[in-house]
Amino acid sequence: MQRLLKAIQLTPDAPAPDHLDDRALSDLHEYPADLAVPHVRANMIASLDGSAQSDGRSGALGGPGDRLLFGVLRELADVVVVGSGTVNSENYRRDPRVRIAVVSTSLRLTAPVLTDPSTIVLTCRQAPADRRDELVAAGLTVIDCGTDRVEPPAIVAAMNDLGLRRVLTEGGPTLLGSLLSFGLVDEMCVTTAPIAIAGSGARITAGSTTDRRFVPAHVLTDDDGYLYTRWIPVHPLDHTARSVSRAGRVHH
Ligand SMILES: NC(=O)c1ccc[n+]([C@@H]2O[C@H](COP(=O)([O-])OP(=O)(O)OC[C@H]3O[C@@H](n4cnc5c(N)ncnc54)[C@H](OP(=O)(O)O)[C@@H]3O)[C@@H](O)[C@H]2O)c1
């Protein structure tokens, strides 16, 4: 066991700076160079007592450091893959730094990002045809990733086909749970907010159980008492399936 000190990076050969500005944070979170297949990073926040929500949203758990990290991770990514529950509840908008890909079977999507032509919609063949037609008519890229549900491996394959290999997922819990259960998460950035909120909020993952083991890549903190952790799988993931196109038809 080791004592964690402020802003200590656990990577053995890297220096442990006292202060990490956004440039240093960016360097710490660089994606691997020359990716041949997508690399999927998750970024989530939980309260001290494990809740992913406060008043039905995650934003209320955050502080300035968390918002800085959130922005840095978006800057580094080619695409943010996010579930419809999060997009609707957090009212997602277009972000000039990164493309947004929304996962939805029902296509019951209300957020402003769904009117932006740069948005990608990952859905399935049995999604409501009228809603699909509206999205296509608005210029969005709509991709079928399964027959009656969105298959997680097809999500990653679709990103590969579009050349969007630096993938960031901001959840939510249902989407992250399904990506984890398929062994598709290459790293988890998990912020712990120094707030205990009790209640019955969801955790940062949901769905069927899985048993994925991770080791810490670094642990950071700030003056507000937040903990910023980054975890990578103990066993390297099998990436062979990611370069095989499993995404379905792209609607234009
Ligand atoms: N603490 C955090 O870091 C954090 C991050 C994100 C969100 N949240 C919170 O989590 C809550 C939303 O939770 P959620 O679990 O509903 O969000 P979610 O994972 O963003 O959305 C889940 C929805 O995505 C669609 N979906 C389609 N295919 C899927 C697939 N293969 N796997 C998973 N989802 C698929 C389904 O909706 P359709 O009906 O459209 O098919 C499903 O109900 C909000 O309160 C939000 O604030 C917290």
Side-chain angles (χ1 to χ4, degrees):
M1 215 170 275
Q2 291 173 314
R3 183 186 299 205
L4 288 179
L5 298 177
K6 185 175 285 192
I8 292 289
Q9 191 187 341
L10 296 184
T11 312
D13 53 352
D18 285 338
H19 176 73
L20 295 170
D21 58 14
D22 43 358
R23 175 67 190 273
L25 262 186
S26 181
D27 290 347
L28 262 183
H29 292 89
E30 272 295 351
Y31 283 82
D34 303 325
L35 287 171
V37 291
H39 179 99
V40 180
R41 164 182 290 156
N43 182 34
M44 303 293 283
I45 186 168
S47 69
L48 178 57
D49 51 345
S51 177
Q53 303 165 304
S54 175
D55 288 336
R57 302 181 61 221
S58 59
L61 293 170
D66 169 66
R67 285 189 282 277
L68 173 64
L69 180 63
F70 183 90
V72 164
L73 296 186
R74 280 196 168 193
E75 288 271 0
L76 290 170
D78 296 324
V79 63
V80 171
V81 176
V82 59
S84 64
T86 301
V87 166
N88 286 339
S89 65
E90 310 273 343
N91 211 27
Y92 266 48
R93 294 170 187 280
R94 175 177 185 275
D95 184 337
R97 296 170 294 192
V98 68
R99 286 187 82 177
I100 308 281
V102 181
V103 178
S104 176
T105 301
S106 70
L107 299 182
R108 283 193 293 269
L109 302 165
T110 55
V113 75
L114 271 306
T115 59
D116 191 276
S118 73
T119 300
I120 301 161
V121 178
L122 303 170
T123 188
C124 60
R125 283 181 275 285
Q126 290 182 8
D130 54 342
R131 258 317 272 147
R132 177 206 301 281
D133 292 347
E134 284 171 26
L135 293 164
V136 172
L140 283 73
T141 301
V142 180
I143 304 176
D144 287 332
C145 294
T147 302
D148 56 359
R149 51 164 281 165
V150 182
E151 302 292 349
I155 295 174
V156 179
M159 297 302 97
N160 190 51
D161 291 351
L162 293 173
L164 303 172
R165 304 223 163 91
R166 291 176 298 186
V167 177
L168 173 66
T169 180
E170 295 172 350
T174 307
L175 177 61
L176 180 56
S178 61
L179 290 170
L180 272 170
S181 66
F182 277 84
L184 293 168
V185 179
D186 294 282
E187 59 174 272
M188 304 249 302
C189 293
V190 181
T191 296
T192 303
I195 311 164
I197 62 171
S200 54
R203 291 161 43 219
I204 62 170
T205 55
S208 53
T209 56
T210 185
D211 181 21
R212 305 283 165 192
R213 303 250 162 177
F214 291 81
V215 290
H218 65 232
V219 181
L220 311 172
T221 187
D222 63 14
D223 290 340
D224 297 316
Y226 282 73
L227 274 187
Y228 306 92
T229 62
R230 177 168 172 245
W231 303 80
I232 53 176
V234 172
H235 303 295
L237 301 180
D238 178 6
H239 284 160
T240 45
R242 297 190 189 194
S243 56
V244 178
S245 180
R246 297 172 65 172
R249 188 169 154 221
V250 181
H251 301 264
H252 295 290

